[in-house]
Amino acid sequence: METFGKSPQGRDLYAVRAHKGTARKPVVLVQAGIHSGEIEGKDAGLMLLRDIALRGKDRLLDKVDLVFVPIYNVDGHERSSPFNRPNQRGPKDMGWRTTAQNLNLNRDYLKADAPETQAMIGLIRRVDPVLYLDLHVTDGIDHRYDVTYAFSGWRGYYARSAAIGRFLDTRLRPAMDVALTRNGHIPGYYVSTLDNREPEKGMTQDVDTPRFSTGYGDIAHIPTVLVETHSLKPYRQRVLGTYVFVEESLRLAGERAAELRAAIDADRAARPTSVTTSWKQTAEPIYSVDFLGLAHDTYRSPASGRDELRWLSKPVTFRMPVYGSNPDRTVTLPKAWWVPATLPHVIDLLKLHGIRYELTDTPVRSTSTWPARPTPGSAMRTRAIFRWTRPSSMNAVAKRCPPDRSACPPTSRSACSPPSCSNPRARTACWHGTWPRKCCSGPNISRAMPSPRSPTGCWQAIRS
Ligand SMILES: [Zn+2]
């Protein structure tokens, strides 16, 4: 067992690595409780660990290791109440959706505001999983599916990691449906309807953006599957369904580890020339399915004073149209991006996500575009950055002192070497005069101080 991070309230983030023998094998990473009210993944994973250790299921670890995070949102998990998800059938007490900082970890993968996200990205990069499961419970309309799931590439649609999407759709999906059905469950695609009051209108197959686990896995070339049991099914049934899902994932990943690795390598070697940054829903369905629904009617609710929908537990099967997405905006990728030192949070994110970059210490003149208005810290950033831009001219690159000022000679500019350009602490220290002036003079750190009116300073080149 290892601690891979700490929550804002000081709790440890735990991961268990279950393995057989001493040799490291490909990893299946399973996380429960990213929304900690949706918690059966914790019980399912602990049951499976027990059965691997004590009840003869150790063969699951012949070819893969299991890294299991029982509770990802640990602070939310301790904020438990019977009323956190009142429309969910158990457990009796359940945790809270967001973190102690009120951040939703399954909207935070790319921007990584939460320390929990930063820790998880670190864990992901360290174990480099061949398969990553994100365990949830969904609500919405009632239907007969008790274990729904999704990934980029379902039915061949929308995978930015094409080879991985193909593997998940042609290898994992058929095997998973067989395993779940054999164990008495009803598997299906994650249900997101156009209108919960009129389910027959249709459902959607969306393109997950990288703030979600599945969207992040898709752009980072990590085979990632979202598992969503259904909140109106009993807790025991949901735990058992999740157990089957994790067990079958281990079996399949062990059996096809080489194939999975080849798919990951192929996608990581691909160099697309363009990327779609936004999507819009199709006007027509992209396909339809025989949907295993439940009958419903409406009644006048004395509580709300209006007609409300209720489910009648009577099976009905109807043809469900599924709407997809068309590219809304596609951009051609440049050879590289220049990132000024005035955006240290961007550079920190590049480091966190493992994106390679180079430092430059030669002058750069570039015409660039900048947001014309500030972007709120916790909102989705991409659109705000792209929507309002104005041209501006950037000039010299400045070297500056490393954060360790003892390594900084008082006058030698050349000794003030990168990579300190991205260190906001050093820049702030010089700006406020809390560092010796000798370390902040010349074409170094003082000129690197960000200024919205004159964004001159250190630049870093980012390879595409
Ligand atoms: Zn969830």
Side-chain angles (χ1 to χ4, degrees):
M1 191 161 77
E2 71 161 293
T3 301
F4 67 94
K6 264 203 193 301
S7 73
Q9 290 184 334
R11 296 188 175 87
D12 288 331
L13 300 175
Y14 289 116
V16 178
R17 185 166 190 143
H19 59 94
K20 222 171 155 181
T22 52
R24 292 280 153 141
K25 304 188 187 97
V27 164
V28 175
L29 174 61
V30 180
Q31 83 189 14
I34 187 171
H35 297 144
S36 59
E38 309 165 13
I39 200 59
E40 58 256 42
K42 174 183 69 174
D43 286 330
L46 293 175
M47 282 170 61
L48 187 58
L49 283 174
R50 176 200 63 196
D51 294 348
I52 287 170
L54 304 172
R55 298 187 180 178
K57 293 205 172 178
D58 57 298
R59 67 187 185 285
L60 290 169
L61 302 184
D62 283 346
K63 294 177 181 165
V64 287
D65 291 353
L66 167 63
V67 172
F68 178 55
V69 177
I71 310 166
Y72 180 13
N73 176 12
V74 286
D75 290 345
H77 183 271
E78 300 311 305
R79 188 181 168 185
S80 69
S81 159
F83 309 111
N84 281 351
R85 290 174 64 81
N87 56 348
Q88 180 173 293
R89 293 178 68 182
K92 180 171 170 294
D93 293 299
M94 54 198 88
W96 189 247
R97 181 175 180 82
T98 55
T99 69
Q101 295 174 317
N102 210 25
L103 291 168
N104 183 339
L105 296 177
N106 203 28
R107 306 292 184 274
D108 196 43
Y109 273 84
L110 193 64
K111 64 185 174 64
D113 285 338
E116 294 96 327
T117 306
Q118 294 162 21
M120 180 56 75
I121 300 290
L123 180 67
I124 290 171
R125 289 189 55 208
R126 208 161 59 246
V127 303
D128 193 16
V130 293
L131 189 58
Y132 177 31
L133 304 185
D134 182 19
L135 308 178
H136 292 247
V137 186
T138 187
D139 37 35
I141 70 164
D142 201 4
H143 46 66
R144 306 206 304 274
Y145 307 101
D146 64 335
V147 181
T148 67
Y149 62 111
F151 50 78
S152 298
W154 188 278
R155 279 182 171 243
Y157 286 101
Y158 315 131
R160 285 158 288 204
S161 291
I164 290 171
R166 212 160 29 245
F167 178 94
L168 295 176
D169 197 45
T170 61
R171 302 293 195 206
L172 182 136
R173 184 157 78 95
M176 196 59 69
D177 286 352
V178 168
L180 286 164
T181 305
R182 194 174 55 226
N183 284 280
H185 299 279
I186 303 180
Y189 181 69
Y190 171 62
V191 179
S192 173
T193 52
L194 298 176
D195 182 349
N196 277 352
R197 287 169 174 266
E198 292 186 62
E200 299 81 1
K201 279 185 179 173
M203 54 187 271
T204 60
Q205 180 175 337
D206 295 317
V207 183
D208 280 343
T209 51
R211 61 185 188 146
F212 297 97
S213 60
T214 39
Y216 182 74
D218 194 22
I219 64 163
H221 312 307
I222 301 160
T224 305
V225 181
L226 171 79
V227 183
E228 297 268 9
T229 59
H230 192 252
S231 61
L232 295 178
K233 310 297 182 283
Y235 187 63
R236 181 175 187 277
Q237 181 180 349
R238 286 161 27 214
V239 172
L240 295 174
T242 305
Y243 179 104
V244 172
F245 205 105
V246 178
E247 180 180 20
E248 178 61 15
S249 296
L250 286 172
R251 192 201 63 75
L252 182 80
E255 181 184 294
R256 297 189 179 275
E259 202 177 330
L260 260 173
R261 179 45 65 185
I264 293 168
D265 291 345
D267 285 331
R268 288 184 183 176
R271 289 290 178 269
T273 54
S274 65
V275 64
T276 298
T277 55
S278 66
W279 302 76
K280 59 187 174 194
Q281 194 175 88
T282 57
E284 300 296 326
I286 52 174
Y287 59 89
S288 61
V289 294
D290 285 328
F291 189 80
L292 305 182
L294 289 167
H296 59 85
D297 68 0
T298 54
Y299 70 106
R300 176 61 62 162
S301 166
S304 68
R306 62 177 192 174
D307 287 343
E308 299 290 356
L309 183 145
R310 66 182 164 195
W311 303 100
L312 303 176
S313 300
K314 181 182 155 207
V316 290
T317 301
F318 60 91
R319 202 69 190 159
M320 172 76 93
V322 180
Y323 292 81
S325 298
N326 284 327
D328 180 34
R329 179 174 186 146
T330 299
V331 297
T332 302
L333 290 169
K335 286 181 183 168
W337 289 266
W338 291 98
V339 179
T342 49
L343 299 174
H345 67 282
V346 174
I347 297 173
D348 288 344
L349 280 175
L350 294 172
K351 286 181 191 163
L352 176 73
H353 293 301
I355 296 170
R356 289 182 303 163
Y357 59 90
E358 298 168 347
L359 301 171
T360 182
D361 57 0
T362 52
V364 171
R365 185 169 290 279
S366 167
T367 300
S368 185
T369 54
W370 288 84
R373 62 179 183 185
T375 56
S378 60
M380 288 174 65
R381 288 176 175 145
T382 47
R383 281 183 179 247
I385 287 174
F386 284 119
R387 192 176 299 149
W388 303 101
T389 61
R390 63 181 170 81
S392 61
S393 182
M394 310 300 154
N395 49 21
V397 169
K399 291 180 180 178
R400 60 173 211 199
C401 301
D404 177 7
R405 64 180 186 236
S406 65
C408 177
T411 55
S412 166
R413 291 178 183 177
S414 62
C416 293
S417 58
S420 58
C421 287
S422 63
N423 187 312
R425 184 177 138 262
R427 197 166 51 246
T428 305
C430 284
W431 189 248
H432 291 292
T434 54
W435 269 26
R437 287 184 63 85
K438 65 185 180 184
C439 288
C440 302
S441 60
N444 52 37
I445 197 161
S446 62
R447 291 188 57 202
M449 186 61 204
S451 161
R453 294 168 68 182
S454 177
T456 302
C458 295
W459 288 72
Q460 297 184 342
I462 311 303
R463 274 204 292 267
S464 59

